[in-house]
Amino acid sequence: MTRSRIAGFYNLTLDERRAQLADAADLPLSDLLPFNSLLPTDIASHMVENVVGTFSLPLGIALNFQVNGRDVLVPMVIEEPSVVAGASFMAKLVRAGGGFTATSTDPLMIGQLQVLDVENAEKAAEQILANKAELMAHVDAAESSLKSRGGGARELEVRIIAESPIGKFLVVHLVYDVRDAMGANAVNTACERLAPKVEAIAGGRVHLRILSNLTDKRMAKATCRIPVKELAFGRGDPTGRPYTGEEVRDGIIEAWAFAAADPYRAATHNKGIMNGVDPVVIATGNDWRAVEAGAHAYAARTGKYTSLSTWSKDDEGNLVGELEMPMAVGIVGGATKVHPAAQAALKLMGVTTANELAEIIVSVGLAQNMAALRALATEGIQRGHMSLHARQVAIAAGASGELIEKVASQMVAEKMIRMERAEEILKESQG
Ligand code: NAD
């Protein structure tokens, strides 16, 4: 049984953290070895083209997460400071209210066929719908291991695009259950198989045959409820009075309202959500461009770009957060199967279905959203960011080992976090 609370984790050495992590996850340390080794170039060179090397990023563990009553240790691959700490801290507050509750739809992807040159779009649409069962059976008749695992065609829809730069045309949507795969290749293959049949039935010419990344039939949703007293905290400036829970809660709701109403704010608000989402998507070898594309297209679904999350209070005054978004991620196929660290990440989280992974990812997105809103609604984002930012500046200035912390904390104390100052302090420290 995994424990996601590990006291003082940030104070440990890297080796101690790995040992504690394996213990908390109830896994042999060897299962986590891929986290501290580079992706072998012979694997890399089979993944993409023209490989000359690999590029690594930090992998941190978000602690304290409890999703649907289960403790989860969450691997996050990210270059930005404060994200892992922010997610872990918010997960701790959410835990006090029972953790995250998450749900997801069936893993239904949409494949699109663009049908051009039909004489009468309405008539062609009717013909396709009249032959729906036959068309879906044709897709499913193909040899596919996905079918034997319970996936396959689920629905066929037709849309008429009345106006476009090339005039009116028809679009067929194949709704396809991809089970535990992200499904892009599976859907594209199914679309290619379907195309000649659609042409035969509707006339015209099938042009594009490709999945849509607006996977609004493959959604995941997380909710959390934080007892208002958990939100109270003291100011960084000890002379100021502490923030009350009510103040923090109402500040978060006001901050969310800004994103709900204004696309300029919503873009940054949703970026904060993706700060939680993408690192887990990347750690598990999934396609984060696909998830990003789906998230933003969904955020603009009404014609006006808006917040992906909502924040409110319940009758007892608790803060309630909800995040619902498309989540096309898999645990088989793509890079998830070939990247050893992605395999280790899935093992660490103990996920056995793509749905479970999606549910964890939206929970982390919601936690990260709350971390940003809480900071913005109270002390401002820079306070928390500064010490970590200072460390990065110190490293960039050439500090290593203990000097990183020394140079960084002096810059924070002086409220001057600049490369030139880091270089000066470094020079002074080195005598
Ligand atoms: P994939 O092609 O490896 O297909 C997954 C396969 O795994 C299935 O066809 C099935 O045979 C097998 N499988 C084994 N166990 C399964 C299970 N329990 N559930 C489902 N399938 C199981 O991978 P994919 O997920 O179809 O494609 C993902 C890749 O496609 C990603 O790397 C993505 O980057 C890429 N891609 C994305 C886009 C896009 O998003 N627009 C377009 C093209 C390709």
Side-chain angles (χ1 to χ4, degrees):
M1 206 55 150
T2 297
R3 285 177 291 110
S4 67
R5 300 207 60 176
I6 310 178
F9 194 66
Y10 64 98
N11 282 326
L12 306 175
T13 65
L14 253 68
D15 279 341
E16 287 167 344
R17 283 182 198 155
R18 287 176 188 134
Q20 290 259 345
L21 184 64
D23 186 52
D26 207 6
L27 289 173
L29 191 54
S30 55
D31 280 359
L32 304 179
L33 273 183
F35 288 166
N36 41 330
S37 38
L38 289 176
L39 177 67
T41 41
D42 60 331
I43 296 182
S45 65
H46 286 108
M47 288 172 74
V48 301
E49 308 74 35
N50 296 356
V51 168
V52 292
T54 56
F55 180 100
S56 55
L57 285 171
L59 184 151
I61 305 294
L63 302 174
N64 306 319
F65 273 86
Q66 197 170 54
V67 180
N68 294 334
R70 187 171 79 83
D71 270 25
V72 201
L73 290 154
V74 185
M76 300 180 82
V77 170
I78 186 162
E79 85 297 346
E80 185 176 341
S82 303
V83 171
V84 179
S88 303
F89 185 32
M90 294 309 122
K92 195 167 165 189
L93 298 185
V94 171
R95 202 183 171 91
F100 295 89
T101 305
T103 56
S104 51
T105 63
D106 278 343
L108 299 179
M109 298 292 281
I110 296 169
Q112 295 193 295
L113 273 66
Q114 182 191 24
V115 192
L116 301 176
D117 306 340
V118 285
E119 266 175 36
N120 179 327
E122 286 73 16
K123 197 147 178 260
E126 265 173 42
Q127 282 165 333
I128 294 168
L129 291 176
N131 290 281
K132 194 199 266 193
E134 185 195 332
L135 288 165
M136 283 166 47
H138 178 66
V139 171
D140 283 342
E143 245 335 284
S144 134
S145 64
L146 208 149
K147 183 82 189 30
S148 64
R149 290 182 166 86
R154 292 288 181 269
E155 186 53 274
L156 205 81
E157 296 165 348
V158 186
R159 297 166 55 221
I160 295 173
I161 306 283
E163 279 176 43
S164 87
I166 53 160
K168 197 171 181 176
F169 62 86
L170 212 68
V171 178
V172 176
H173 278 192
L174 170 67
V175 179
Y176 200 71
D177 187 323
V178 296
R179 297 285 89 202
D180 293 313
M182 182 271 184
N185 291 316
V187 169
N188 294 344
T189 307
C191 286
E192 291 189 2
R193 180 169 167 84
L194 187 61
K197 267 267 189 225
V198 166
E199 282 177 345
I201 289 170
R205 165 173 67 94
V206 173
H207 191 45
L208 298 198
R209 299 150 297 170
I210 179 85
L211 87 154
S212 168
N213 287 114
L214 174 51
T215 62
D216 60 0
K217 292 183 191 294
R218 192 179 194 180
M219 303 285 290
K221 178 169 152 184
T223 53
C224 65
R225 190 175 303 271
I226 301 120
V228 70
K229 66 172 173 28
E230 296 291 332
L231 294 167
F233 69 101
R235 283 173 206 256
D237 171 6
T239 57
R241 120 191 120 64
Y243 291 100
T244 67
E246 286 76 8
E247 235 175 323
V248 176
R249 176 197 65 202
D250 296 345
I252 288 176
I253 297 171
E254 287 160 358
W256 159 74
F258 187 2
D262 174 29
Y264 285 92
R265 172 61 206 146
T268 321
H269 177 96
N270 290 341
K271 191 274 181 185
I273 291 173
M274 301 317 281
N275 269 349
V277 167
D278 285 342
V280 192
V281 174
I282 297 171
T284 53
N286 273 290
D287 185 338
W288 70 95
R289 288 88 53 212
V291 173
E292 283 277 348
H296 298 295
Y298 186 72
R301 67 197 176 280
T302 61
K304 185 181 174 196
Y305 187 89
T306 188
S307 164
L308 286 165
S309 64
T310 57
W311 290 93
S312 59
K313 63 177 176 181
D314 67 10
D315 293 344
E316 286 145 39
N318 303 312
L319 176 68
V320 180
E322 188 175 300
L323 171 64
E324 186 171 25
M325 60 186 288
M327 191 52 66
V329 289
I331 59 167
V332 295
T336 45
K337 255 296 185 267
V338 293
H339 198 304
Q343 283 296 300
L346 291 171
K347 202 170 225 178
L348 179 69
M349 283 189 280
V351 292
T352 53
T353 64
N355 280 57
E356 250 181 291
L357 176 60
E359 289 166 10
I360 292 170
I361 293 173
V362 278
S363 301
V364 183
L366 187 58
Q368 197 52 48
N369 183 211
M370 184 182 156
L373 294 184
R374 176 183 173 276
L376 286 168
T378 56
E379 301 180 304
I381 206 87
Q382 285 309 81
R383 208 190 125 68
H385 246 288
M386 273 308 124
S387 59
L388 285 159
H389 172 58
R391 274 187 231 166
Q392 281 193 339
V393 172
I395 294 169
S400 60
E402 286 173 3
L403 279 176
I404 299 171
E405 204 49 58
K406 183 168 189 286
V407 174
S409 44
Q410 191 165 333
M411 286 195 294
V412 170
E414 293 173 1
K415 296 199 167 78
M416 186 186 287
I417 300 163
R418 295 221 315 263
M419 184 74 106
E420 304 80 61
R421 185 60 193 134
E423 282 166 356
E424 278 169 21
I425 301 171
L426 200 57
K427 235 185 227 155
E428 288 160 19
S429 313
Q430 287 165 334

